[in-house]
Amino acid sequence: MPLLVTGTVGIDTVITPTGRADDVLGGSAAYFTLAASLFSPVRVVAAVGDDFPPSFRAMLTSDRIDLRGLETREGSRTFRWAGKYLENMNQRETLRTDLNVVAEAPPAIPDAFRDSRVVFLANTHPAIQWNMREQLPAARLVVCDTMDLWIHTTRDELMKTLAVVDGVIINDSEALQLTGQSNPITAGREVLRLGPRFVVVKKGEHGAVLVTPEGVTVVPAYPSERVVDPTGAGDSFAGGMIGYLAAKDSFHYAALRSALARATVVASFTIEDFSVRRLRDVTCEELDRRVAEFTRMLAIG
Ligand code: AMP
């Protein structure tokens, strides 16, 4: 199942209580891509500026990642984001967001990507997400993410996007801001009424809830003892989930539940180091071992 992702590929500066990383590879599509590629080949559609370091492109290069849709736009600047985590690492403050190339025309979808069957519209301007979905009529599963910035500044465009997707993966505060509901399950059900047939509400270190008309599934987070930088956990979660579904070629409730466990495990690797450092180095053996450990932990009889 060819899997395509569109979102931001950018340059982040991250400050945590224990350290900082300046001008490192980040962006929703960057994390998603590396995570999803653990399960399935991934096609990337995103734009960066001519200031995007070649070494960052190299970090995304692998035989499972097709970068023909990663456009370098001459005269434009790359998306930049800076954030700071509070003492408990659960809350973060955005210090700055420079949309730069993301505020320009959407990246072009290469003709060779038009047959993509699974599409993830990672966090970016909802008008770009909608535009991408319209251009990919062969897609059988389209899932999106969003964030508070877009909920507050581009709500109407976001509603239009939600009406044309099959699934949504968002975090609890976003689900609450989007629906006005204070309970993640009720908020998930409200989101279902906007169009999608499944919603995953992520709750950080408290796990995630899958809400569908067939049922509700809750998973805890993987019990990580070493959290260095939570940035990208959500995008890696989405990458693990959608990459697994694309590999299985099944989007039924049972597959969604299995995907939830993979998503949780992939996110647990991301947070062990800054940027994509840990995620990039995860081996199949490490992944399989942690998935087995996590699913054993869930089977409590
Ligand atoms: P996560 O921690 O999973 O929410 O993702 C963090 C990543 O999202 C960072 O690498 C940022 O570069 C990227 N990001 C931050 N703000 C935005 C935004 N408004 N739109 C798209 N991507 C963003």
Side-chain angles (χ1 to χ4, degrees):
M1 277 267 144
L3 163 61
L4 179 148
V5 59
T6 186
T8 54
V9 172
I11 303 174
D12 286 353
T13 290
V14 180
I15 303 168
T16 73
T18 52
R20 63 183 289 155
D22 290 88
D23 298 332
V24 289
L25 174 61
S28 54
Y31 282 106
F32 179 94
T33 297
L34 290 167
S37 69
L38 289 166
F39 300 97
S40 157
V42 188
R43 298 162 164 182
V44 182
V45 175
V48 292
D50 55 17
D51 56 344
F52 189 67
S55 59
F56 287 6
R57 182 178 268 271
M59 286 182 205
L60 292 171
T61 301
S62 106
D63 52 9
R64 299 176 70 107
I65 300 175
D66 191 333
L67 293 178
R68 280 178 293 171
L70 180 60
E71 176 188 339
T72 302
R73 207 167 280 173
E74 292 302 320
S76 296
R77 287 183 64 76
T78 301
F79 172 82
R80 281 177 186 260
W81 176 81
K84 182 179 174 180
Y85 288 84
L86 307 185
E87 205 49 54
N88 66 7
M89 294 265 207
N90 288 331
Q91 280 175 297
R92 84 173 168 212
E93 196 188 321
T94 291
L95 301 177
R96 63 186 293 179
T97 302
D98 298 327
L99 292 178
N100 295 332
V101 72
V102 169
E104 300 172 10
I109 303 176
D111 282 342
F113 289 7
R114 298 267 170 195
D115 61 349
S116 299
R117 303 295 294 262
V118 179
V119 174
F120 186 66
L121 307 168
N123 191 11
T124 190
H125 194 299
I128 297 185
Q129 294 178 316
W130 185 86
N131 179 283
M132 290 289 164
R133 202 279 164 257
E134 288 300 293
Q135 293 182 69
L136 294 162
R140 282 186 48 211
L141 180 79
V142 182
V143 181
C144 80
D145 181 12
T146 192
M147 75 182 297
D148 50 359
L149 175 70
W150 311 119
I151 295 171
H152 296 306
T153 62
T154 56
R155 194 177 177 88
D156 291 348
E157 282 145 305
L158 180 57
M159 289 296 159
K160 233 176 117 186
T161 299
L162 292 175
V164 295
V165 298
D166 304 292
V168 180
I169 304 178
I170 47 178
N171 61 37
D172 50 356
S173 64
E174 292 153 2
L176 307 187
Q177 288 167 43
L178 187 61
T179 60
Q181 298 290 336
S182 56
N183 172 296
I185 299 170
T186 319
R189 291 201 199 283
E190 280 286 310
V191 177
L192 289 184
R193 285 152 51 110
L194 302 172
R197 44 191 174 88
F198 75 84
V199 179
V200 178
V201 181
K202 296 167 290 176
K203 301 190 296 162
E205 65 173 353
H206 302 298
V209 188
L210 165 70
V211 183
T212 76
E214 292 83 36
V216 171
T217 294
V218 182
V219 284
Y222 178 83
S224 295
E225 293 187 41
R226 203 181 121 209
V227 182
V228 173
D229 171 17
T231 309
D235 302 309
S236 310
F237 181 100
M241 176 150 192
I242 308 300
Y244 178 82
L245 290 172
K248 289 285 157 202
D249 187 13
S250 170
F251 316 130
H252 296 302
Y253 186 50
L256 290 170
R257 283 165 49 88
S258 303
L260 215 53
R262 274 71 190 175
T264 301
V265 167
V266 174
S268 76
F269 285 111
T270 296
I271 64 179
E272 289 178 1
D273 206 342
F274 283 102
S275 182
V276 299
R277 286 175 201 159
R278 179 68 176 107
L279 182 59
R280 220 167 51 99
D281 292 340
V282 175
T283 63
C284 287
E285 292 72 33
E286 283 177 317
L287 178 67
D288 290 348
R289 209 176 314 127
R290 207 174 274 193
V291 167
E293 181 196 347
F294 187 60
T295 48
R296 229 179 7 250
M297 195 190 92
L298 296 183
I300 50 177

